[in-house]
Amino acid sequence: MFISLEDLISQANKSNKKIWEIMIDQEMELNGTSLEYIKNRMKKNLDVMMQAVDEGIRGVSSKTGLTGGDAKRLQEYLDSGKSISGESFLNGVIAAIATNEVNAGLGLICSTPTAGSAGVLPGCVHVLKRKFNITEEQQVNMLFTAGAFGFVVANNASVSGAEGGCQAEIGSASAMAAAAIVETMGGTPDMAGHAFAIALKNMLGLVCDPVAGLVEVPCVKRNAAGSSIAIMAADMALSGIKSRIPADEVLEAMYRIGQEMSVKLKETAKGGLAITKTGEKYRSLLLGND
């Protein structure tokens, strides 16, 4: 049983196991389930993720009309050969947007760790699938690695925007995805920890300010940012760059910031972008004056 990220990384190093193996071992011990059952359940999660990516890229819109079609639009832009950023980078962004457009359109997604942040991890899986042709088994294991880091986040801090702001949702998702990328690409457990810390540090203080209280604006585009930061953090860690602040301490900082954050900035739609002139216009249009 691991409680902290230090515990998790230490156990992986001492046992010479991958983090995804540590996570599976813990699941089997805590829930008394078989290896086959656990892997099959995670395979179903992966299937849902990838189906949402494909659906979103084909084009989907929300009932409100606030979001939709951006993943398709960005895919067409990438295909035009005119993009400034790299193909892998944009593939992650596209898949992240696609997933959350499906969510906004009331489609089926896999919360990782929440519905509002469900695009970040699939976006990163999509990148490695497209660029490095990682196997289905590797994709499933990638989800277990992310889940191990997410387990510590959920138990030591929060993954709720209502409790900790968007840093707890998109920030956690980005950090989890960064760690998972690193291990999948052959990085050490320590490197995965550094990637987690680097990603989360770049999300500290991010507020949760949904326009009209809906998980659409700015949530969809923030998933794009989360995927981007995860990829950047993973590359930094794989290059040998280390976080000066340990991962557990970064997580603790996120938790404290969430406690200190105004309630107006924690999913109440009473602050930030939600109360801009245009944000208020959308709220009135969609929900009526109150």
Side-chain angles (χ1 to χ4, degrees), residues 49-59 98 126 129:
M49 289 180 184
M50 294 302 101
Q51 287 166 13
V53 170
D54 291 342
E55 181 182 350
I57 292 174
R58 288 195 298 270
H126 184 69
K129 182 180 176 182

Side-chain angles (χ1 to χ4, degrees), residues 19-251:
I19 288 171
W20 63 262
E21 293 178 292
I22 301 293
M23 186 61 192
I24 289 176
D25 288 345
Q26 178 163 290
E27 283 292 299
M28 292 173 64
E29 180 182 348
L30 291 179
N31 298 314
T33 46
S34 68
L35 175 62
E36 182 182 13
Y37 175 82
I38 292 170
K39 286 202 166 187
N40 284 340
R41 286 293 299 271
M42 193 62 88
K43 168 62 167 55
K44 289 180 180 178
N45 292 336
L46 176 67
D47 289 343
V48 169
M49 289 180 184
M50 294 302 101
Q51 287 166 13
V53 170
D54 291 342
E55 181 182 350
I57 292 174
R58 288 195 298 270
V60 61
S61 296
S62 68
K63 299 295 183 182
T64 66
L66 278 178
T67 56
D70 284 344
K72 181 180 180 182
R73 192 170 293 112
L74 193 55
Q75 182 65 62
E76 291 170 350
Y77 172 68
L78 175 60
D79 293 342
S80 75
K82 299 177 181 178
S83 63
I84 299 166
S85 49
E87 182 177 352
S88 293
F89 175 88
L90 279 186
N91 276 329
V93 170
I94 289 166
I97 292 174
T99 301
N100 273 77
E101 286 186 329
V102 169
N103 178 56
L106 304 181
L108 183 63
I109 53 92
C110 180
S111 297
T112 50
T114 65
S117 60
V120 178
L121 183 56
C124 294
V125 174
H126 184 69
V127 168
L128 300 194
K129 182 180 176 182
R130 290 286 298 271
K131 184 175 178 64
F132 299 104
N133 197 30
I134 63 171
T135 66
E136 182 177 84
E137 183 177 11
Q138 286 176 300
Q139 294 171 53
V140 170
N141 292 340
M142 190 172 175
L143 303 188
F144 280 116
T145 301
F149 281 86
F151 176 86
V152 176
V153 175
N155 283 282
N156 291 2
S158 175
V159 296
S160 167
E163 184 177 8
C166 200
Q167 59 167 4
E169 293 205 19
I170 301 293
S172 296
S174 181
M176 292 161 56
I181 292 172
V182 166
E183 182 163 77
T184 305
M185 293 305 297
T188 66
D190 291 286
M191 285 179 172
H194 287 300
F196 176 97
I198 292 168
L200 189 56
K201 284 193 294 187
N202 282 281
M203 288 286 192
L204 292 180
L206 185 60
V207 303
C208 184
D209 51 352
V211 170
L214 303 171
V215 188
E216 296 192 50
V217 178
C219 315
V220 172
K221 294 180 179 68
R222 280 190 182 154
N223 274 265
S227 176
S228 304
I229 288 175
I231 294 167
M232 172 274 295
D235 265 338
M236 290 178 72
L238 286 165
S239 77
I241 294 174
K242 298 179 180 180
S243 173
R244 296 297 182 184
I245 309 299
D248 282 310
E249 292 182 31
V250 177
L251 184 58

